[in-house]
Amino acid sequence: MGGVESVVNLGLTFIPSVFLVPGVFLISCFISTAIGTSMGTVAAMAPIAIGVAQAANLNIPLTAAAVIGGAYFGDNLSMISDTTISAAKGVGSEMKDKFKMNFFIALPAAIFAAIMYGIMGGNGNITGEYNYHIIRVLPYIVVLITALVGFNVSGVLVLGIAMTGVIGIFEGNISFLDWVGAIGEGMDDMFSITIVAILISGLIGLVKYYGGIEWLVNSITSKIKNRKNAEYGIGLISGLLSAALVNNTIAIIITAPIAKEIGQKYNIVPKRLASLIDIFVCAFIALTPYDGGILMITVLVDVSPLEVLKYSFYIFALIVTTCITIQFGLLRDSKEKESN
């Protein structure tokens, strides 16, 4: 119903020309947090961001990297993202607790990335008019607020879907059948991953029943000497699986039961486990040159994925900030501090 276009145009209207590239990054962060998908954000943002970069004579690979970084900011952080839901439910964490843990890690990385994009982005000029409608932005804002205050995720999604239908039909942009059809298309996009998730969950259940999970945990933990090693191990396992499978959600579903077993042994709380898994699966896949998002945007600009990835300031910073929290034992609650 034109919501994404209005969000983008709203940002471009009020962003000073000197801050175009960090502005693209921040808009991508907002959209991805509101809709909970990196691919959807790249698909929505890439054509507009690249068009602005070309018109303003900006560094195009740098702008493309800003879109990718912002897209994975929300994919990792949003409480309606499939990765957040899978990670939190997989290890038994509340999603709002996982969000808070992630936020304190992701925020410094996002600030660093925005500064770097500001320094390297140059001074472009926006030409033409970018029309926006505040009413079309409302569903995103409502979804963000209701998710943050702790509403049930299904209720949040239903509310957002209902608002888009009411606004779109009221403005005459879509008909009732268009709205229903769009819902069907969204469900169809998730159908294949749902089937794969069910099959993998069943496979993991069989492996656990026959002692495979216990063997794997013992094999990993035999090389782990302390909690710090355990957190690095969980991150490495989830990240490598994500890069190998090119699917962060499936990597989480596989990793979660293993991480939960390791977490119980080393007294790592569920919100920390969920945060570690989600961060590393998103970071590793975002740095693969064959990920769907990076391929989508590099086709538009006709550059090598490696040209874009070298400007992935947010992803690099996210890995660094996460490793700092592991290395120095940061963000632990009182129970964890007492036992470690």
Side-chain angles (χ1 to χ4, degrees), residues 180-251:
V180 173
I183 294 172
E185 290 174 9
M187 294 173 68
D188 184 59
D189 288 341
M190 293 302 297
F191 181 73
S192 58
I193 195 171
T194 302
I195 295 299
V196 173
I198 291 170
L199 293 173
I200 288 178
S201 295
L203 179 61
I204 291 172
L206 288 172
V207 171
K208 186 173 185 178
Y209 179 79
Y210 287 106
I213 294 292
E214 185 179 356
W215 173 83
L216 183 58
V217 171
N218 289 337
S219 299
I220 296 170
T221 55
S222 64
K223 298 177 177 61
I224 294 173
K225 305 304 180 184
N226 51 47
R227 176 188 166 125
K228 187 186 299 182
N229 294 157
E231 291 191 349
Y232 279 125
I234 290 169
L236 188 61
I237 292 168
S238 58
L240 290 176
L241 279 172
S242 179
L245 297 171
V246 203
N247 190 307
N248 45 14
T249 306
I250 299 302

Side-chain angles (χ1 to χ4, degrees), residues 221-290:
T221 55
S222 64
K223 298 177 177 61
I224 294 173
K225 305 304 180 184
N226 51 47
R227 176 188 166 125
K228 187 186 299 182
N229 294 157
E231 291 191 349
Y232 279 125
I234 290 169
L236 188 61
I237 292 168
S238 58
L240 290 176
L241 279 172
S242 179
L245 297 171
V246 203
N247 190 307
N248 45 14
T249 306
I250 299 302
I252 288 172
I253 294 170
I254 296 172
T255 306
I258 302 171
K260 191 174 182 180
E261 294 282 348
I262 296 173
Q264 289 173 348
K265 182 171 182 177
Y266 288 95
N267 194 36
I268 306 173
V269 294
K271 63 182 179 181
R272 177 65 172 172
L273 294 173
S275 178
L276 286 172
I277 295 171
D278 202 354
I279 285 172
F280 278 99
V281 297
C282 285
F284 274 53
I285 199 172
L287 292 176
T288 56
Y290 45 82

Side-chain angles (χ1 to χ4, degrees), residues 3-77:
V4 172
E5 183 181 359
S6 279
V7 171
V8 175
N9 289 350
L10 177 65
L12 293 177
T13 299
F14 292 101
I15 292 171
S17 59
V18 71
F19 296 128
L20 274 180
V21 179
V24 165
F25 171 70
L26 294 175
I27 294 170
S28 297
C29 288
F30 176 80
I31 293 175
S32 60
T33 305
I35 65 178
T37 165
S38 57
M39 286 292 289
T41 302
V42 173
M45 274 294 297
I48 299 170
I50 298 307
V52 169
Q54 290 171 336
N57 198 29
L58 298 173
N59 184 324
I60 292 177
L62 180 73
T63 306
V67 173
I68 296 292
Y72 274 103
F73 174 88
D75 194 356
N76 171 233
L77 200 62

